[in-house]
Amino acid sequence: IVLTTMAIFWVISILISLYLANWTLLPVMLAYEKQKEFVENASHELRTPLAILQNRLELLFQNPTATIIDESENISASLSEVRNMRLLTTNLLNLARRDSGLKIEPEETNATFFENIFESYQMLAQDADKTFTGTVKLDGNVNLDQSLVKQLMTILFDNAMKYSNEDGKIDILITKSGSYLNLFVSDNGEGISNEDKKRVFDRFYRVDKARTRQKGGLGLGLSLAKQIVVAYGGRIAIEDNPPKGTKFVIRLKIEMPTVHPARIFQKNK
Ligand code: ADP
């Protein structure tokens, strides 16, 4: 009886330790799988422009007597692939840097900061025959990392431009509620299905790979945007924008402006 009890106890403890080991190893295994998938995706994305570049350069090499004008199509296609690769490597570097911790450096910011950004968006939209409206409702100053917020807005604005048609309409509204800054970016473009809404924040995820690549999409913009929002302790959500289009709803936790000690001193003098 003693031996049987010991054997049962031994088997049970082995089973429990196997079960526990599985659970403790699971996050490590998942992280490894994610990293592997990321490296595979990044390599694939680099291989495509490299293959096209190789092909174009070989064509140029096979006909050394041709003039630059004759070969201009090959040269311009090669240049476009080089630009793609540069964009991709810059984005990958940004993601890697951010993975090791994103530091927020807040500055006192007022409505003018947003209005200046809106001005440049207005010009870009006009050039593409689209309409842009930017509205900012802020009473007083807020503390924000201006470069991160600008990057976030630009990712969403670029997407709204890319994924809307010729009579595209893009709106950005900025409001403040309590200690949160709200950012709404809406467009009347092709919209995002409920299925894809869950996946577009994944790195390299694109709804229609062939079409988005044509539009210069790498599938990294929204994952960068999410990283920025998370660093702010905020959240980002996607809603439909009836009758057609997408609305990004972002909430950033902001600090109230601090009064610099020197100013208190000056005030009291
Ligand atoms: P990309 O560089 O491909 O635009 P993102 O990460 O920014 O990468 O976006 C991921 C995918 O989400 C895009 O490929 C596109 O299919 C979809 N998407 C993003 N923004 C919009 C939008 N405003 N309207 C429709 N689809 C969008």
Side-chain angles (χ1 to χ4, degrees):
I1 286 173
V2 171
L3 276 179
T4 320
T5 318
M6 274 176 71
I8 291 172
F9 182 74
W10 188 69
V11 170
I12 289 175
S13 53
I14 284 185
L15 285 176
I16 289 175
S17 43
L18 277 176
Y19 178 77
L20 287 178
N22 225 346
W23 275 108
T24 41
L25 277 180
L26 198 63
V28 179
M29 277 153 61
L30 284 178
Y32 173 74
E33 270 309 307
K34 271 211 148 235
Q35 198 177 3
K36 195 168 148 251
E37 191 188 317
F38 177 69
V39 173
E40 274 168 11
N41 279 331
S43 320
H44 176 79
E45 292 301 323
L46 278 168
R47 270 169 68 104
T48 313
L50 272 173
I52 299 173
L53 195 60
Q54 182 181 353
N55 197 276
R56 294 286 180 172
L57 290 177
E58 273 166 6
L59 282 175
L60 284 172
F61 192 62
Q62 277 158 17
N63 195 1
T65 51
T67 62
I68 287 184
I69 295 165
D70 291 338
E71 295 292 9
S72 63
E73 198 198 316
N74 278 332
I75 293 170
S76 107
S78 306
L79 264 175
S80 138
E81 292 309 320
V82 170
R83 281 191 205 106
N84 269 347
M85 281 196 292
R86 222 184 129 187
L87 187 68
L88 175 63
T89 43
T90 311
N91 279 332
L92 286 175
L93 252 169
N94 281 340
L95 277 169
R97 280 197 195 119
R98 303 258 153 77
D99 275 347
S100 54
L102 192 133
K103 203 167 146 227
I104 292 184
E105 285 164 12
E107 275 175 75
E108 264 189 51
T109 305
N110 58 25
T112 318
F113 163 74
F114 294 101
E115 281 156 4
N116 288 339
I117 299 176
F118 290 163
E119 232 170 80
S120 48
Y121 289 172
Q122 191 98 49
M123 283 193 265
L124 289 170
Q126 226 162 18
D127 285 348
D129 279 334
K130 297 185 187 197
T131 322
F132 171 76
T133 320
T135 314
V136 49
K137 291 180 185 165
L138 283 184
D139 47 343
N141 293 354
V142 285
N143 269 348
L144 287 175
D145 184 316
Q146 297 187 351
S147 104
L148 281 185
V149 169
K150 187 172 177 192
Q151 204 177 344
L152 174 66
M153 283 169 61
T154 305
I155 292 169
L156 299 173
F157 172 78
D158 279 349
N159 277 353
M161 289 277 285
K162 264 194 300 196
Y163 303 111
S164 59
N165 21 35
E166 267 152 39
D167 52 351
K169 204 174 157 304
I170 297 128
D171 292 308
I172 299 188
L173 168 66
I174 308 231
T175 63
K176 198 178 96 180
S177 47
S179 51
Y180 285 95
L181 185 88
N182 306 310
L183 239 141
F184 305 91
V185 184
S186 15
D187 64 65
N188 62 346
E190 55 201 57
I192 302 178
S193 72
N194 285 340
E195 190 62 30
D196 286 321
K197 280 190 187 101
K198 296 175 210 144
R199 307 195 55 193
V200 285
F201 294 107
D202 292 349
R203 288 174 187 185
F204 294 108
Y205 186 79
R206 286 166 293 186
V207 174
D208 179 340
K209 281 214 178 226
R211 202 170 37 167
T212 41
R213 186 160 201 280
Q214 239 177 21
K215 295 187 182 193
L218 298 166
L220 291 174
L222 288 181
S223 58
L224 258 170
K226 189 162 182 184
Q227 239 177 0
I228 295 172
V229 174
V230 168
Y232 260 98
R235 65 177 179 83
I236 179 164
I238 310 176
E239 293 176 6
D240 292 330
N241 187 33
K244 193 171 156 277
T246 314
K247 183 178 193 174
F248 281 88
V249 181
I250 294 126
R251 228 175 158 205
L252 301 179
K253 202 167 181 346
I254 43 164
E255 296 167 49
M256 290 300 138
T258 47
V259 183
H260 197 275
R263 285 204 207 146
I264 298 173
F265 179 66
Q266 275 165 9
K267 251 189 185 172
N268 293 342
K269 252 203 322 192

